[in-house]
Amino acid sequence: MPNEDFLTNYFDYATGNEVPDIFHKWAGISALSMCAGRRFWLEFSPDYVLYPHMYILLIAAAGGRKTSAMSPAKSILRDVGEIPICGDTITKEALCKEMSADDYEGIRTFKDPETLRISKFTQTCIFANEWVHFIATNPIGMLDFFTAVWDQPFYDGRTKNMGNDFFVGPTVPILGCLTTDIMTSQLKTDLISGGFIRRCCMIHSDDRGTPVAFPTKSTTQHAARERAVKRAKYVAHSDRFCGKIEWGEGAIPWYDEWYKAQFHEHEKVVNPLLRGYYNARHDLMLKVAMLLSLSDGTKTLEVKILKTAIEYIEGYEKHLPKVFEGAGRNEHAMVATQILERLRTHGKLPKKKLLREMFGHANAAELAGIIEHLTSTDQIVPVGEQGKPVYLMTREDYEKTLKT
């Protein structure tokens, strides 16, 4: 009998192309979070309630197949129906005005099958092929809005000369794409704040994948898509499947032990942005666990689901130092990040060629100092025989060559 699990079927359908697997996995998580909205919740107390909608950014070099990863998620959401998708460009003011309208199409209602209470929330879904363009009109204001509405019961915005914008249950799940260079630029200029970072899963990949000249879909994959859409509609619209998510047997003491262990594990993180992220990662893990329980139709946080959610989180956390390595006030931090990104993309490059390519970003003396810093801090390795051209590689790529 075919597996009805949404994420399994989504992944089976979406793969078979050059998109990194990690992008497909998190695009699937994003699509399911958009279907779930606030129809489900995990309650610790009346003032601490988690909902499964998420902010997810796919980060890679230009041509990293980010938009290709987004396409299946957007297509499936359209087939699910009755879930509004935000326009490609919009200002914060226009978005708030739209969502506060009495006749807004994104006001979703449902009846809790246990309490019979009717609830409503206000939703729009953001698919941003170019994240930096989506927020370009007022980036600080837009990110402050996303931070303000995160899991909050309502939004009440007062705008001078434009009246009040009020709506219940603000739900704005995000799937956005941006390049590593732009991410570094936004971090350096403080356009992406710590508040937004703590609420966002930043999925980085420099995996170029396996070449696929003809990325077609098989009959089996189309069947997997049909099953994924069926489960997504169940999550989004079923009167029988909504409400409070419960803890499974042994899950509460297991989570308590894990929470305390990871709390102390990350106390020594130096980067303030990373430290802020780790202070809130347990909420992101629980949101993923909630979605995993909706994916398989159980609506229960079993220990095995919590463990799988941690695997999802740790799968992208190991790349976070790459995301944040250009942050800070050092004017050459961005150049260092661009050098590392080029080396990751090409595997290795002749030192002279790299210097020529990067000369527009810093002068010869500055580039020499940056490369010396990256070498002395063990981030890049010079390779080559005496008397022959010197090549540069990242430390991680160099170590891979030693194992082969």
Side-chain angles (χ1 to χ4, degrees):
M1 183 176 180
N3 188 336
E4 299 299 324
D5 182 86
F6 172 83
L7 292 171
T8 298
N9 284 302
Y10 179 92
F11 187 78
D12 288 347
Y13 169 73
T15 51
N17 44 46
E18 296 172 358
V19 176
D21 285 352
I22 192 171
F23 283 176
H24 279 316
K25 289 180 178 179
W26 282 92
I29 285 285
S30 180
L32 189 58
S33 81
M34 293 174 179
C35 293
R38 293 198 180 211
R39 285 166 46 83
F40 307 87
W41 61 89
L42 181 66
E43 184 173 336
F44 288 80
S45 73
D47 299 320
Y48 182 17
V49 182
L50 296 180
Y51 301 92
H53 54 275
M54 302 193 73
Y55 300 160
I56 297 171
L57 295 180
L58 307 180
I59 304 168
R65 304 295 189 266
K66 304 176 291 295
T67 303
S68 298
M70 179 186 294
S71 295
K74 193 172 185 178
S75 171
I76 284 178
L77 197 71
R78 290 193 185 281
D79 283 358
V80 170
E82 300 180 35
I83 302 175
I85 297 175
C86 187
D88 292 337
T89 58
I90 194 168
T91 65
K92 172 200 167 186
E93 291 74 19
L95 179 60
C96 292
K97 188 65 63 180
E98 182 178 286
M99 295 182 72
S100 63
D102 292 337
D103 59 350
Y104 175 57
E105 63 176 345
I107 298 174
R108 300 178 63 189
T109 61
F110 67 96
K111 181 188 287 187
D112 187 331
E114 294 184 6
T115 66
L116 303 182
R117 184 183 67 184
I118 296 177
S119 300
K120 72 175 183 177
F121 58 96
T122 312
Q123 179 172 353
T124 191
C125 301
I126 294 174
F127 290 94
N129 293 344
E130 297 291 343
W131 175 248
V132 67
H133 294 161
F134 183 83
I135 65 172
T137 304
N138 180 10
I140 294 177
M142 189 68 94
L143 294 180
D144 283 348
F145 168 73
F146 295 141
T147 301
V149 301
W150 179 259
D151 282 344
Q152 293 302 303
F154 57 84
Y155 175 77
D156 187 5
R158 292 175 170 83
T159 307
K160 186 177 180 181
N161 300 326
M162 295 183 66
N164 293 356
D165 296 322
F166 180 89
F167 46 93
V168 174
T171 307
V172 193
I174 297 168
L175 182 59
C177 305
L178 74 165
T179 65
T180 311
D181 286 352
I182 290 176
M183 180 69 179
T184 299
S185 175
Q186 292 197 333
L187 286 169
K188 188 170 179 60
T189 56
D190 291 334
L191 285 183
I192 293 186
S193 65
F196 182 75
I197 285 172
R198 288 195 299 274
R199 294 161 173 82
C200 183
C201 296
M202 292 161 289
I203 317 302
H204 177 276
S205 177
D206 49 30
D207 178 14
R208 299 183 67 193
T210 302
V212 180
F214 299 95
T216 58
K217 297 296 183 185
S218 67
T219 302
T220 301
Q221 285 180 293
H222 284 296
R225 187 186 187 279
E226 290 180 4
R227 292 192 296 273
V229 171
K230 181 180 179 181
R231 176 53 58 86
K233 287 182 176 180
Y234 184 63
V235 170
H237 304 309
S238 174
D239 293 333
R240 296 180 290 108
F241 192 64
C242 54
K244 185 178 179 179
I245 291 180
E246 304 291 345
W247 294 88
E249 183 179 356
I252 289 179
W254 190 93
Y255 173 75
D256 181 63
E257 183 177 346
W258 173 84
Y259 176 85
K260 292 174 181 175
Q262 64 91 41
F263 183 90
H264 295 294
E265 180 181 349
H266 301 294
E267 286 180 334
K268 297 180 181 179
V269 174
V270 176
N271 185 300
L273 292 174
L274 265 177
R275 188 165 60 246
Y277 162 82
Y278 280 118
N279 286 339
R281 72 191 288 258
H282 56 284
D283 282 348
L284 297 178
M285 186 279 282
L286 288 173
K287 283 173 175 276
V288 173
M290 294 165 72
L291 291 167
L292 291 171
S293 77
L294 302 182
S295 180
D296 68 11
T298 61
K299 212 178 72 169
T300 303
L301 299 187
E302 304 288 356
V303 171
K304 66 178 181 179
I305 283 181
L306 295 173
K307 290 181 178 179
T308 303
I310 292 170
E311 291 175 2
Y312 266 82
I313 294 292
E314 291 180 344
Y316 76 78
E317 284 181 342
K318 62 186 178 183
H319 299 296
L320 285 181
K322 296 178 184 178
V323 175
F324 291 112
E325 63 194 359
R329 293 300 180 184
N330 183 338
E331 62 182 19
H332 298 311
M334 191 182 302
V335 180
T337 298
Q338 291 172 340
I339 289 173
L340 290 169
E341 194 63 33
R342 286 173 186 252
L343 293 177
R344 291 186 186 117
T345 300
H346 296 286
K348 68 177 180 179
L349 283 172
K351 182 177 180 180
K352 288 185 178 180
K353 180 180 179 181
L354 183 65
L355 290 172
R356 287 197 302 270
E357 292 178 349
M358 297 301 300
F359 188 73
H361 302 275
N363 63 40
E366 291 168 338
L367 287 171
I370 293 168
I371 289 176
E372 172 61 29
H373 167 73
L374 293 174
T375 304
S376 64
T377 56
D378 214 23
Q379 297 181 69
I380 64 174
V381 178
V383 295
E385 299 178 9
Q386 187 174 2
K388 293 185 178 181
V390 175
Y391 283 76
L392 296 176
M393 304 178 69
T394 64
R395 166 59 66 179
E396 56 191 328
D397 284 340
Y398 176 71
E399 291 180 350
K400 288 178 184 177
T401 65
L402 298 180
K403 297 177 181 178
T404 57

Short mmCIF file of all heavy atoms in Angstrom, two decimals, residues 250-281:
data_model
loop_
_atom_site.label_atom_id
_atom_site.label_comp_id
_atom_site.label_asym_id
_atom_site.label_seq_id
_atom_site.Cartn_x
_atom_site.Cartn_y
_atom_site.Cartn_z
N GLY A 250 6.14 9.33 26.73
CA GLY A 250 7.56 9.55 27.00
C GLY A 250 8.16 10.76 26.34
O GLY A 250 9.35 11.07 26.54
N ALA A 251 7.37 11.50 25.56
CA ALA A 251 7.92 12.62 24.80
C ALA A 251 8.24 13.82 25.68
O ALA A 251 9.23 14.52 25.44
CB ALA A 251 6.95 13.03 23.70
N ILE A 252 7.42 14.07 26.72
CA ILE A 252 7.65 15.24 27.57
C ILE A 252 8.96 15.12 28.35
O ILE A 252 9.79 16.05 28.31
CB ILE A 252 6.46 15.48 28.51
CG1 ILE A 252 5.25 15.99 27.70
CG2 ILE A 252 6.81 16.47 29.61
CD1 ILE A 252 4.00 16.22 28.52
N PRO A 253 9.23 14.02 29.06
CA PRO A 253 10.52 13.92 29.75
C PRO A 253 11.70 13.88 28.77
O PRO A 253 12.77 14.41 29.08
CB PRO A 253 10.41 12.62 30.55
CG PRO A 253 9.29 11.86 29.94
CD PRO A 253 8.35 12.89 29.41
N TRP A 254 11.50 13.29 27.61
CA TRP A 254 12.59 13.25 26.62
C TRP A 254 12.92 14.68 26.15
O TRP A 254 14.10 15.05 26.08
CB TRP A 254 12.19 12.39 25.42
CG TRP A 254 13.33 12.12 24.49
CD1 TRP A 254 14.17 11.05 24.48
CD2 TRP A 254 13.77 12.98 23.42
NE1 TRP A 254 15.11 11.19 23.48
CE2 TRP A 254 14.89 12.36 22.82
CE3 TRP A 254 13.33 14.21 22.92
CZ2 TRP A 254 15.56 12.93 21.73
CZ3 TRP A 254 14.01 14.78 21.84
CH2 TRP A 254 15.11 14.14 21.26
N TYR A 255 11.89 15.46 25.84
CA TYR A 255 12.11 16.84 25.38
C TYR A 255 12.74 17.67 26.49
O TYR A 255 13.63 18.49 26.23
CB TYR A 255 10.80 17.48 24.95
CG TYR A 255 10.94 18.95 24.62
CD1 TYR A 255 11.55 19.36 23.44
CD2 TYR A 255 10.50 19.92 25.52
CE1 TYR A 255 11.70 20.71 23.16
CE2 TYR A 255 10.65 21.27 25.23
CZ TYR A 255 11.24 21.66 24.06
OH TYR A 255 11.41 23.00 23.79
N ASP A 256 12.31 17.47 27.73
CA ASP A 256 12.86 18.22 28.86
C ASP A 256 14.36 17.99 28.98
O ASP A 256 15.14 18.93 29.16
CB ASP A 256 12.14 17.81 30.14
CG ASP A 256 12.64 18.58 31.36
OD1 ASP A 256 12.47 19.81 31.39
OD2 ASP A 256 13.21 17.94 32.27
N GLU A 257 14.76 16.74 28.84
CA GLU A 257 16.19 16.41 28.95
C GLU A 257 16.97 17.00 27.78
O GLU A 257 18.06 17.56 27.96
CB GLU A 257 16.36 14.89 28.98
CG GLU A 257 17.79 14.43 29.16
CD GLU A 257 17.91 12.92 29.27
OE1 GLU A 257 16.87 12.24 29.47
OE2 GLU A 257 19.04 12.41 29.13
N TRP A 258 16.41 16.88 26.57
CA TRP A 258 17.09 17.44 25.40
C TRP A 258 17.22 18.95 25.51
O TRP A 258 18.27 19.52 25.20
CB TRP A 258 16.31 17.07 24.13
CG TRP A 258 16.86 17.75 22.91
CD1 TRP A 258 17.90 17.32 22.14
CD2 TRP A 258 16.42 18.98 22.33
NE1 TRP A 258 18.13 18.21 21.11
CE2 TRP A 258 17.24 19.25 21.21
CE3 TRP A 258 15.40 19.89 22.65
CZ2 TRP A 258 17.06 20.38 20.41
CZ3 TRP A 258 15.23 21.02 21.85
CH2 TRP A 258 16.06 21.26 20.75
N TYR A 259 16.17 19.63 25.93
CA TYR A 259 16.16 21.08 26.01
C TYR A 259 17.26 21.57 26.95
O TYR A 259 18.01 22.50 26.63
CB TYR A 259 14.80 21.58 26.50
CG TYR A 259 14.75 23.08 26.71
CD1 TYR A 259 14.47 23.93 25.64
CD2 TYR A 259 15.02 23.64 27.96
CE1 TYR A 259 14.44 25.30 25.83
CE2 TYR A 259 14.99 25.01 28.14
CZ TYR A 259 14.71 25.83 27.07
OH TYR A 259 14.70 27.19 27.26
N LYS A 260 17.37 20.95 28.11
CA LYS A 260 18.38 21.38 29.09
C LYS A 260 19.79 21.13 28.57
O LYS A 260 20.70 21.95 28.79
CB LYS A 260 18.14 20.67 30.42
CG LYS A 260 16.85 21.10 31.11
CD LYS A 260 16.58 20.27 32.34
CE LYS A 260 15.28 20.70 33.01
NZ LYS A 260 14.93 19.82 34.17
N ALA A 261 19.99 20.00 27.89
CA ALA A 261 21.32 19.67 27.37
C ALA A 261 21.75 20.67 26.29
O ALA A 261 22.88 21.18 26.31
CB ALA A 261 21.32 18.25 26.82
N GLN A 262 20.86 20.97 25.34
CA GLN A 262 21.23 21.90 24.27
C GLN A 262 21.30 23.33 24.77
O GLN A 262 22.02 24.16 24.21
CB GLN A 262 20.26 21.76 23.10
CG GLN A 262 18.82 22.15 23.36
CD GLN A 262 18.52 23.59 23.07
OE1 GLN A 262 19.00 24.13 22.08
NE2 GLN A 262 17.72 24.23 23.94
N PHE A 263 20.59 23.66 25.84
CA PHE A 263 20.64 25.00 26.43
C PHE A 263 22.07 25.33 26.86
O PHE A 263 22.58 26.43 26.59
CB PHE A 263 19.71 25.06 27.63
CG PHE A 263 19.63 26.42 28.28
CD1 PHE A 263 18.71 27.35 27.85
CD2 PHE A 263 20.50 26.75 29.32
CE1 PHE A 263 18.64 28.61 28.45
CE2 PHE A 263 20.44 28.00 29.92
CZ PHE A 263 19.51 28.93 29.49
N HIS A 264 22.73 24.40 27.50
CA HIS A 264 24.10 24.63 27.97
C HIS A 264 25.13 24.42 26.86
O HIS A 264 26.20 25.03 26.88
CB HIS A 264 24.42 23.72 29.15
CG HIS A 264 23.58 24.00 30.37
ND1 HIS A 264 23.66 25.17 31.07
CD2 HIS A 264 22.61 23.26 30.99
CE1 HIS A 264 22.81 25.16 32.09
NE2 HIS A 264 22.16 24.01 32.05
N GLU A 265 24.78 23.60 25.89
CA GLU A 265 25.73 23.28 24.82
C GLU A 265 26.12 24.50 24.01
O GLU A 265 27.25 24.61 23.54
CB GLU A 265 25.09 22.22 23.91
CG GLU A 265 25.98 21.79 22.76
CD GLU A 265 25.29 20.77 21.87
OE1 GLU A 265 24.21 20.26 22.26
OE2 GLU A 265 25.81 20.50 20.78
N HIS A 266 25.20 25.46 23.87
CA HIS A 266 25.46 26.59 22.98
C HIS A 266 25.74 27.89 23.74
O HIS A 266 25.74 28.96 23.15
CB HIS A 266 24.26 26.79 22.06
CG HIS A 266 23.96 25.59 21.21
ND1 HIS A 266 24.81 25.15 20.24
CD2 HIS A 266 22.91 24.73 21.22
CE1 HIS A 266 24.31 24.07 19.65
NE2 HIS A 266 23.16 23.79 20.23
N GLU A 267 26.02 27.79 25.04
CA GLU A 267 26.30 28.99 25.82
C GLU A 267 27.59 29.68 25.38
O GLU A 267 27.75 30.89 25.56
CB GLU A 267 26.39 28.64 27.31
CG GLU A 267 25.04 28.36 27.96
CD GLU A 267 25.18 28.01 29.43
OE1 GLU A 267 26.25 27.50 29.82
OE2 GLU A 267 24.22 28.23 30.19
N LYS A 268 28.51 28.89 24.78
CA LYS A 268 29.82 29.45 24.43
C LYS A 268 29.90 29.96 23.00
O LYS A 268 30.98 30.32 22.53
CB LYS A 268 30.90 28.40 24.68
CG LYS A 268 31.03 27.98 26.14
CD LYS A 268 32.12 26.94 26.33
CE LYS A 268 32.23 26.52 27.79
NZ LYS A 268 33.29 25.47 27.98
N VAL A 269 28.80 29.97 22.28
CA VAL A 269 28.79 30.49 20.91
C VAL A 269 29.16 31.97 20.94
O VAL A 269 28.56 32.76 21.68
CB VAL A 269 27.41 30.29 20.25
CG1 VAL A 269 27.37 30.97 18.89
CG2 VAL A 269 27.12 28.80 20.12
N VAL A 270 30.14 32.38 20.14
CA VAL A 270 30.66 33.75 20.19
C VAL A 270 29.84 34.70 19.32
O VAL A 270 29.49 35.80 19.76
CB VAL A 270 32.15 33.77 19.74
CG1 VAL A 270 32.66 35.21 19.69
CG2 VAL A 270 32.98 32.92 20.69
N ASN A 271 29.52 34.29 18.09
CA ASN A 271 28.80 35.17 17.18
C ASN A 271 27.44 35.53 17.77
O ASN A 271 26.63 34.65 18.06
CB ASN A 271 28.62 34.46 15.83
CG ASN A 271 27.99 35.37 14.78
OD1 ASN A 271 26.87 35.85 14.95
ND2 ASN A 271 28.70 35.57 13.69
N PRO A 272 27.15 36.81 17.97
CA PRO A 272 25.89 37.20 18.63
C PRO A 272 24.65 36.80 17.85
O PRO A 272 23.62 36.46 18.44
CB PRO A 272 26.00 38.73 18.76
CG PRO A 272 27.02 39.12 17.75
CD PRO A 272 27.98 37.99 17.65
N LEU A 273 24.72 36.82 16.50
CA LEU A 273 23.57 36.41 15.70
C LEU A 273 23.32 34.91 15.85
O LEU A 273 22.18 34.47 16.01
CB LEU A 273 23.79 36.77 14.23
CG LEU A 273 23.80 38.27 13.90
CD1 LEU A 273 24.17 38.49 12.45
CD2 LEU A 273 22.45 38.89 14.21
N LEU A 274 24.40 34.14 15.81
CA LEU A 274 24.25 32.69 15.99
C LEU A 274 23.77 32.37 17.40
O LEU A 274 22.94 31.48 17.59
CB LEU A 274 25.60 32.00 15.74
CG LEU A 274 25.84 31.45 14.33
CD1 LEU A 274 27.23 30.86 14.23
CD2 LEU A 274 24.80 30.41 13.96
N ARG A 275 24.29 33.10 18.37
CA ARG A 275 23.88 32.85 19.75
C ARG A 275 22.39 33.14 19.92
O ARG A 275 21.66 32.39 20.58
CB ARG A 275 24.70 33.72 20.71
CG ARG A 275 24.46 33.39 22.18
CD ARG A 275 25.54 34.00 23.07
NE ARG A 275 25.58 35.44 22.96
CZ ARG A 275 26.62 36.12 22.45
NH1 ARG A 275 27.67 35.47 21.99
NH2 ARG A 275 26.59 37.44 22.39
N GLY A 276 21.91 34.21 19.29
CA GLY A 276 20.49 34.50 19.35
C GLY A 276 19.66 33.42 18.69
O GLY A 276 18.59 33.05 19.20
N TYR A 277 20.15 32.90 17.56
CA TYR A 277 19.44 31.81 16.89
C TYR A 277 19.35 30.59 17.80
O TYR A 277 18.29 29.99 17.96
CB TYR A 277 20.15 31.44 15.58
CG TYR A 277 19.73 30.08 15.08
CD1 TYR A 277 18.55 29.91 14.37
CD2 TYR A 277 20.48 28.94 15.39
CE1 TYR A 277 18.13 28.65 13.96
CE2 TYR A 277 20.07 27.68 14.98
CZ TYR A 277 18.89 27.55 14.27
OH TYR A 277 18.47 26.30 13.88
N TYR A 278 20.47 30.20 18.39
CA TYR A 278 20.47 28.99 19.23
C TYR A 278 19.59 29.14 20.47
O TYR A 278 19.07 28.15 20.98
CB TYR A 278 21.91 28.63 19.63
CG TYR A 278 22.67 27.91 18.54
CD1 TYR A 278 23.81 28.45 17.97
CD2 TYR A 278 22.23 26.67 18.07
CE1 TYR A 278 24.51 27.80 16.96
CE2 TYR A 278 22.92 26.00 17.07
CZ TYR A 278 24.05 26.57 16.52
OH TYR A 278 24.71 25.92 15.52
N ASN A 279 19.42 30.36 20.92
CA ASN A 279 18.53 30.58 22.07
C ASN A 279 17.07 30.27 21.74
O ASN A 279 16.27 30.06 22.65
CB ASN A 279 18.65 32.02 22.56
CG ASN A 279 19.95 32.27 23.30
OD1 ASN A 279 20.58 31.35 23.79
ND2 ASN A 279 20.36 33.53 23.39
N ALA A 280 16.74 30.26 20.45
CA ALA A 280 15.34 30.03 20.05
C ALA A 280 15.17 28.78 19.20
O ALA A 280 14.06 28.50 18.74
CB ALA A 280 14.82 31.25 19.28
N ARG A 281 16.22 28.00 19.00
CA ARG A 281 16.15 26.86 18.08
C ARG A 281 15.16 25.79 18.54
O ARG A 281 14.62 25.04 17.72
CB ARG A 281 17.53 26.24 17.90
CG ARG A 281 18.03 25.46 19.10
CD ARG A 281 19.48 25.10 18.98
NE ARG A 281 19.77 24.07 18.03
CZ ARG A 281 20.01 22.80 18.33
NH1 ARG A 281 19.95 22.39 19.60
NH2 ARG A 281 20.30 21.91 17.41
#
